[in-house]
Structures are given as C-alpha cells and as structure tokens.
C-alpha cells in the first residue's frame, strides 16, 4: 500500500471514528439517570446519583470539546489526536464499568445490578461495532468497560458472581474476534473504494490529456474555455486566447519523417507550457500542429507579452535530427476581450483564428493581434 494511501486511510479512520463515537457522548448519563430511581436509590442517595451523573456529563463535555478540535489536530498533530480519541473514549467505558461494578459491591445500589449489566452488554456490543475502525480502541474500551465488573465479581465471589466473571471473559474474547472481522472488512471496502476513485480520477485526467504531447487536449480546452468565459462575463474581467501554429510543419514531416515531427510537437508543447506563469493559465493542443493558450484575467497587453515569450521560446529551440539540427518557428494570433452576454466561445475562437491567419499572411514567425472590441465578436 502506498504512503499516500496509508496517510489518507489513517486520517479518514480517525475522523470517521470521531464521528461515530460523538453520537453517544451523553448516552451513559441519560441511561444512569433513567436507572437510578430503581430500588429507591435516587431518593435514598441523591448526592451519589447526581455526583455520578455530573462526572459522566463532565466527561462527555470534555470529549465534545476534544472532538471539536480533532479535524485540525488530525492534520497537524495526528499522533496526539489519535491518543486523545483513544484515551477519552476508553475513559468513558471505564466510568460506566466502575458504575456497574458499584452495583455489585454497594448494597444500596444492588437493585440496579441486572439493568446495569444489561446496559453494559449493550454498550460493549455497540462499542465493538462503532470502534472496530480502530481495533486497539475497540479492545481498550471493552477491557475498560468489562474489567471493573469482572474484578468486582471476583471481589464478592459467590456462585453467581463466578458465573458473571466467566461471562466477562467470554465476552471479551468475543469482542476480540468480532472487532477483528469488522476492522478488516471496513478497511478492505475503504481501500477498494479509494483505489476505484483513484483509477476514475486517473482515467478522467487521461481523457483530458493529449497522448502525444502530455498537455491538455481539445476537450479540456473546450471545458475550461466555457467555464472561464462564464467567469469573465460574470466578473467583467478580461479573457485572452493565444493560438500558436508551427510554421511549415507539413514540409518538416515530409523531409524528416513523422517520428521527428512528433518529437517537435512534444518539445514545442513543453516550451509553450513553460512560457505561462500562472496556475490558471492553460496551454492545450488544439489539433495537428496548433496549440491554444487560455489566459484568464489577462488583457491584450498581457496576452501579447505571453505570445512574445512563446515566439522566442519556439525560435530558441534547436532539435537534433541525425547529422544536423532543426530550428523551428511559429506564427501566433492573440485575442483578448472583456465579454458580455453576447460573447460566445465560437466567436472568440474565430477572433483568435483570424489573428493567427494574419500572422501567417504577414510572413510567419510573428505575433498578430485580432480585433479586440466586443462588437467585432458579435458579428458573424
């Protein structure tokens, strides 16, 4: 399993565990207060009942504050966060186990014994299912819950308590086995789902990447252009397109062969991609020997500066082929607009394509600028 997968699994497990155990933070308090009236314990020993309820509530509030901070700790201090969750959750099990043990050794609470034992079984089974993400915690919680009960039964040993102690041992053995099965199943499903998501993401990236040049393809450009045009229209911001075409590429293929032509395309793509400086800028292969750079929040002056860098980058390439070196040039068209509701992707592409045609007609190896007015983009 890769390091990234392990790290993602650990953080996901901790946050999922926190979400699961948080739902029962005050359950012990509510169950204790519901059972306390049995046998008149509430009326005979109200101080003890309320002191125990207060302790359980304080523990629940402390755990609530810890869980509130957990997402931040999981990213900055994962080991500390993990220990905090384990200790606070096990402390909750220990608090209930001590209360249940109290009903075994303290005569005034004897009437609560059966109901407390039933509640302890419910808490133990619920904890096993809830905490099986973290098998260490599942076992620690169960031992903290059942341990005091078993010790109290052995302290007041008789036939009934001996049977109870034996049941506690069997119960812990069951939890050990069940938590292992649920732990393995949870992480097996998580790992398969994560790998499926990674494969789907990789396929999506592959579908948007040109296989030859490894830059975004026409589909990716179309998607980004539609999004960026809508954003520019909404924000009343500039949007620029730069279209690049390698000069005399058909002759180059005829003279040097298609494999060398492919190498030229790969080298050109990297040179063009290196000429843009912002993460939002996109250089995509438009088709054949044509590339398009999409430059959000860029006016005409900024787009022309990028185009000049690209022109120089391509002209500066010298690609070896057998016994001689081949130097490339390109023609570049530039179009920038602050779009309104009438501006469309098609008209914007027509504008930059017309600018590219002007660069070719002007002698190639140069940059030409298309009509920048929005009105020009409205005309057919």
């Amino acid at each position: 399993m890769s390091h990234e997968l392990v790290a993602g699994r650990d953080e996901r497990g901790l946050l999922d565990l926190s979400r699961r155990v948080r739902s029962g933070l005050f359950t012990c308090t509510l169950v204790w207060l519901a059972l306390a009236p049995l046998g008149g314990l509430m009326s005979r020993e109200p101080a003890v009942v309320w002191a125990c309820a207060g302790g359980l509530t304080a523990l629940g509030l402390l755990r609530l504050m810890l869980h509130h901070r957990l997402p931040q700790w999981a990213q900055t201090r994962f080991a500390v966060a993990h220990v905090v969750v384990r200790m606070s959750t096990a402390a909750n099990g220990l608090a209930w186990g001590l209360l249940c043990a109290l009903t075994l050794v303290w005569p005034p609470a004897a009437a609560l014994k059966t109901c407390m034992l039933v509640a302890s079984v419910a808490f133990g089974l619920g904890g096993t299912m809830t905490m099986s993400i973290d098998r260490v915690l599942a076992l620690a919680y169960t031992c903290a819950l059942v341990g005091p009960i078993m010790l109290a039964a052995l302290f007041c040993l008789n036939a009934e308590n001996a049977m109870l102690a034996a049941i506690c041992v069997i119960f812990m053995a069951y939890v050990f086995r069940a938590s292992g099965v649920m732990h393995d199943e949870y992480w097996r499903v998580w790992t398969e789902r994560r790998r499926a998501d990674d494969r789907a993401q990789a396929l999506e990236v592959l579908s948007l990447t040109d296989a030859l040049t490894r830059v975004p393809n026409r589909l990716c450009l179309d998607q980004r252009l539609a999004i960026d045009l809508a954003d520019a229209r909404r924000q009343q911001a500039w949007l620029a397109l730069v279209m690049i075409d390698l000069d005399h590429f058909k002759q180059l293929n005829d003279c040097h062969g298609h494999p060398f032509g492919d190498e030229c395309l790969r080298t050109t793509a990297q040179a063009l991609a290196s000429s843009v400086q912002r993460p939002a800028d996109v250089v995509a292969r438009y088709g054949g020997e044509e590339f398009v750079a999409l430059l959000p929040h860029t006016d005409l002056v900024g787009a022309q500066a990028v185009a000049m860098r690209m022109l120089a980058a391509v002209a500066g390439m010298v690609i070896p082929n057998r016994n001689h070196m081949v130097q490339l040039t390109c023609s570049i068209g530039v179009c920038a607009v602050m779009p309104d509701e009438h501006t469309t992707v098609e008209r914007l592409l027509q504008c930059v394509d017309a600018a590219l045609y002007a660069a070719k007609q002007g002698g190639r190896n140069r940059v030409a600028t298309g009509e920048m007015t929005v009105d020009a983009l409205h005309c057919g």
Side-chain angles (χ1 to χ4, degrees):
M1 187 179 299
S2 67
H3 176 73
E4 292 79 7
L5 194 60
V6 171
R9 162 179 163 156
D10 290 343
E11 183 175 342
R12 159 66 189 274
L14 182 60
L15 295 178
D16 196 7
L17 177 64
S18 172
R19 179 184 59 80
R20 290 182 175 203
V21 300
R22 196 183 322 178
S23 60
L25 292 179
F26 300 102
T27 303
C28 290
T29 302
L30 297 175
V31 173
W32 169 251
L33 290 176
L35 296 180
L38 295 177
L41 181 63
M42 177 73 82
S43 58
R44 294 196 310 271
E45 302 288 347
V48 174
V49 171
W50 287 111
C52 293
L56 291 172
T57 302
L59 181 58
L61 290 173
L62 176 62
R63 293 175 64 204
L64 182 61
M65 290 188 293
L66 293 174
H67 286 291
H68 181 70
R69 300 286 301 275
L70 193 64
Q72 178 183 353
W73 288 354
Q75 295 180 349
T76 58
R77 293 181 289 178
F78 178 82
V80 173
H82 207 172
V83 170
V84 166
V85 171
R86 283 177 171 176
M87 292 185 64
S88 61
T89 306
N92 192 74
L94 179 62
W96 184 263
L98 291 172
L99 274 183
C100 189
L102 182 67
T103 65
L104 298 179
V105 299
W106 190 40
L112 279 64
K113 181 177 70 173
T114 301
C115 290
M116 289 290 287
L117 288 173
V118 171
S120 298
V121 172
F123 287 148
L125 292 176
T128 301
M129 292 184 291
T130 300
M131 304 170 199
S132 58
I133 298 173
D134 184 344
R135 196 177 182 190
V136 172
L137 177 57
L139 298 176
Y141 173 84
T142 303
C143 290
L145 175 70
V146 176
I149 300 172
M150 186 172 64
L151 292 176
L154 293 175
F155 180 77
C156 302
L157 192 60
N158 54 40
E160 182 181 355
N161 286 345
M163 181 64 70
L164 177 60
I167 292 174
C168 288
V169 174
I170 295 171
F171 183 76
M172 285 192 288
Y174 164 77
V175 168
F176 179 82
R177 174 60 180 166
S179 63
V181 173
M182 287 187 284
H183 173 275
D184 294 344
E185 181 63 19
Y186 176 90
W187 288 115
R188 182 187 64 80
V189 172
W190 182 87
T191 301
E192 291 178 353
R193 183 178 303 164
R194 176 64 181 271
R195 286 173 174 165
D197 291 343
D198 290 345
R199 286 194 295 268
Q201 185 177 6
L203 287 173
E204 182 180 4
V205 171
L206 188 61
S207 70
L208 299 175
T209 302
D210 180 64
L212 175 63
T213 61
R214 310 309 300 170
V215 297
N217 59 15
R218 174 72 179 270
L219 175 61
C220 181
L221 176 68
D222 290 343
Q223 293 179 357
R224 282 293 307 273
L225 183 52
I227 294 171
D228 288 349
L229 179 59
D231 289 343
R233 185 184 297 122
R234 183 176 60 256
Q235 300 170 17
Q236 280 298 284
W238 284 96
L239 179 67
L241 280 183
V242 177
M243 183 173 284
I244 307 99
D245 184 271
L246 287 178
D247 294 332
H248 307 296
F249 187 73
K250 184 178 183 304
Q251 296 178 18
L252 184 144
N253 269 335
D254 293 341
C255 293
H256 301 282
H258 287 280
F260 180 73
D262 291 344
E263 179 61 27
C264 291
L265 289 174
R266 284 190 289 265
T267 305
T268 300
Q270 297 309 311
L272 297 176
S274 300
S275 300
V276 297
Q277 301 172 339
R278 303 176 304 177
D281 298 336
V282 175
V283 173
R285 187 181 181 192
Y286 193 65
E289 68 274 19
E290 286 187 337
F291 297 85
V292 170
L294 173 61
L295 311 174
H297 298 279
T298 304
D299 60 12
L300 179 59
V301 174
Q304 287 175 322
V306 173
M308 293 303 296
R309 286 202 303 270
M310 290 179 168
L311 190 73
V314 173
M317 296 188 313
V318 179
I319 305 174
N321 182 38
R322 296 190 179 95
N323 297 326
H324 58 280
M325 311 297 285
V326 176
Q327 188 170 12
L328 303 178
T329 62
C330 66
S331 301
I332 300 179
V334 179
C335 180
V337 65
M338 186 178 290
D340 65 9
E341 66 276 9
H342 301 293
T343 310
T344 65
V345 169
E346 291 76 14
R347 300 285 167 76
L348 192 55
L349 288 171
Q350 288 173 8
C351 176
V352 73
D353 188 61
L356 175 62
Y357 180 78
K360 291 180 179 180
Q361 291 296 106
R364 303 181 188 270
N365 191 25
R366 66 187 62 229
V367 174
T369 303
E371 181 59 60
M372 292 298 104
T373 63
V374 176
D375 290 340
L377 293 174
H378 296 169
C379 66

